[in-house]
Amino acid sequence: MREFIAIAKPLVGDEELSAIGEVLSSGMLTQGEVVKKFEDGFSRYLGVENSIAVSNGTVALDLAVKALGLKDGDEVISPAFTFIATANCILYQGLKPVFADVDERTFNLDPADLAEKITPKTKAVIGVHLYGQPFDLKGVQQVCQDHNLALIEDCAQAHGAEHHGKKVGSFATGCFSFYPTKNMTTGEGGMITTNDDAVAERLRLIRNHGDTGKYNHVLVGYNYRMTNIQGAIGQVQLGKLEEFIGRRLENAKYLSSHLKAKEITPPYVAKDIRHVYNQYVVRVEDDFPCTREDLMAYLQSKGVGSAIHYPKPVYDQPIYRDLGLKGSCPVAEDVSRRVLSLPVHPSLKKEDLEYIAQVINSYGG
Ligand SMILES: *Cc1c(COP(=O)(O)O)cnc(C)c1O
């Protein structure tokens, strides 16, 4: 029988295993030299001054917002169409999330709607490079500049993505995740990137109980450290990242040229950017012979995993409704009813891709 094709699959092997083994035998298990090396490698890869490793991507966003030093009642704008962590990190700091709409083709922040959502209380914007495609950095940066707003890049899905030849996470404060479904993994893990040395120093202190060394605590910090075990996996994965991305690009190219139904719209790729396909997301249009949910069930019955990233705008999640944070983003509402993520991960074989395309093309006979 054919093996089920999962929507995501981390690709780890013997190199990671032996790197973990070295850490275990060294006895230096938590944050130390191994994490430092991973951070330095990450900075070199991205072309940034500072990388600060933390426990996960949510913590990276939490600290990036915290480092802005905003006050109660200040507003921070997030796209309405993203994973919930993007907006939650605004709530963690007692700030008010305000939702901006997205572009119907790229699913990313729409600079025009972003400008519309600005009020005198707006202090910052979190842009998301959704699915691995950079958002319109030029447009968003211009709006931020015009209104004196700080910018944070949620790069959780976009390691290695580029905008005009420059890597995401190097334009503003970047926040990465190394969760197993992302383009590289450390099990759980995260990274904050910045060219501002003072911000980096503050983030390093907050990460480790405000300790300047030898139990001298200068601010109320946390334990948000990454372990050397994660750092060792991260170093190996970083070395493989370009190969992983190369395979994702090939897989995406195959799918885009082999999905035949005209009612299935393949991913749109904006000009002068490098999309790294953390997710391969099609739009199932209204005139497709069945609903998106029926198509998912059919794929599942044929042994092909798929997923909906994400089924509703953040502001329609129960907790955001309860908090009275309802937004108004018609495009986000529309695309959340159409998007469907198909497998694109680097473990897929040629025959898996052929099979996925064949199953979708055969729908309805
Ligand atoms: C995965 C993800 C996060 C959170 O990262 P974790 O490591 O799972 O905490 C944040 N934002 C986006 C867009 C993500 O995809």
Side-chain angles (χ1 to χ4, degrees):
M1 223 189 89
R2 170 178 286 280
E3 208 181 310
F4 189 83
I5 303 173
I7 178 70
K9 191 172 174 187
L11 197 47
V12 288
D14 292 342
E15 295 96 331
E16 285 84 352
L17 203 53
S18 85
I20 295 171
E22 278 176 38
V23 170
L24 294 184
S25 29
S26 79
M28 310 292 274
L29 303 190
T30 191
Q31 188 188 295
E33 277 308 306
V34 178
V35 169
K36 177 80 173 54
K37 269 198 179 157
F38 177 37
E39 292 174 334
D40 291 347
F42 206 78
S43 293
R44 272 196 304 279
Y45 175 72
L46 244 62
V48 291
E49 294 297 324
N50 302 281
S51 294
I52 300 103
V54 291
S55 335
N56 57 60
T58 304
V59 157
L61 284 164
D62 184 28
L63 293 193
V65 176
K66 191 178 174 60
L68 297 174
L70 303 182
K71 58 178 196 312
D72 272 15
D74 284 346
E75 295 176 0
V76 179
I77 301 181
S78 158
F81 191 59
T82 181
F83 180 55
I84 196 148
T86 313
N88 278 354
C89 70
I90 302 168
L91 292 179
Y92 297 157
Q93 302 302 327
L95 306 167
K96 185 181 175 198
V98 170
F99 296 99
D101 214 344
V102 295
D103 179 273
E104 62 177 357
R105 290 188 301 178
T106 64
F107 311 117
N108 272 328
L109 202 50
D110 170 10
D113 195 64
L114 170 63
E116 287 285 312
K117 300 287 161 70
I118 293 170
T119 76
K121 290 184 173 171
T122 310
K123 296 289 153 55
V125 175
I126 307 178
V128 182
H129 305 298
L130 200 68
Y131 307 146
Q133 165 144 252
F135 61 81
D136 177 357
L137 273 152
K138 198 157 164 272
V140 171
Q141 278 184 311
Q142 188 61 53
V143 173
C144 289
Q145 204 180 318
D146 291 348
H147 298 267
N148 199 18
L149 308 176
L151 178 63
I152 291 172
E153 299 176 69
D154 182 339
C155 308
Q157 304 182 359
H159 321 62
E162 293 174 10
H163 182 268
H164 291 259
K166 205 175 145 194
K167 293 221 161 52
V168 303
S170 68
F171 291 83
T173 304
C175 298
F176 291 83
S177 163
F178 305 119
Y179 185 75
T181 60
K182 312 298 186 187
N183 281 13
M184 58 177 281
T185 188
T186 62
E188 295 277 5
M191 192 77 86
I192 313 170
T193 55
T194 174
N195 285 317
D196 185 327
D197 294 344
V199 169
E201 205 38 54
R202 196 172 148 72
L203 290 170
R204 289 193 185 100
L205 283 172
I206 299 173
R207 168 178 66 177
N208 189 25
H209 283 299
D211 193 356
T212 59
K214 305 225 176 359
Y215 302 103
N216 182 51
H217 306 277
V218 296
L219 52 76
V220 181
Y222 302 85
N223 172 3
Y224 282 164
R225 295 182 301 260
M226 175 181 271
T227 66
N228 271 352
I229 303 165
Q230 293 163 292
I233 303 171
Q235 275 185 54
V236 177
Q237 287 271 301
L238 182 61
K240 297 176 175 176
L241 178 59
E242 280 301 314
E243 184 198 327
F244 291 165
I245 293 171
R247 287 202 226 167
R248 284 178 182 274
L249 286 165
E250 276 174 32
N251 296 348
K253 193 171 159 196
Y254 181 92
L255 291 173
S256 288
S257 58
H258 288 81
L259 295 179
K260 298 230 166 62
K262 66 176 191 330
E263 308 88 353
I264 299 244
T265 310
Y268 168 82
V269 183
K271 221 165 79 76
D272 294 325
I273 64 111
R274 184 196 200 199
H275 189 330
V276 290
Y277 291 101
N278 179 240
Q279 300 294 348
Y280 179 89
V281 179
V282 299
R283 290 169 47 130
V284 181
E285 309 296 357
D286 288 339
D287 46 1
F288 192 71
C290 70
T291 66
R292 171 182 66 175
E293 282 65 23
D294 287 343
L295 177 59
M296 277 186 89
Y298 178 70
L299 285 165
Q300 180 77 18
S301 76
K302 293 286 180 188
V304 177
S306 63
I308 297 171
H309 301 110
Y310 298 89
K312 53 176 83 160
V314 173
Y315 59 70
D316 275 335
Q317 290 292 343
I319 179 62
Y320 280 79
R321 285 181 159 246
D322 292 350
L323 289 169
L325 292 167
K326 180 101 184 91
S328 168
C329 300
V331 180
E333 288 174 24
D334 182 69
V335 297
S336 63
R337 284 191 287 266
R338 298 174 194 278
V339 289
L340 183 65
S341 306
L342 301 173
V344 73
H345 57 78
S347 310
L348 295 174
K349 297 186 207 62
K350 183 79 191 297
E351 66 245 39
D352 296 327
L353 291 159
E354 286 167 2
Y355 181 69
I356 295 166
Q358 182 201 319
V359 169
I360 296 175
N361 290 339
S362 75
Y363 188 80

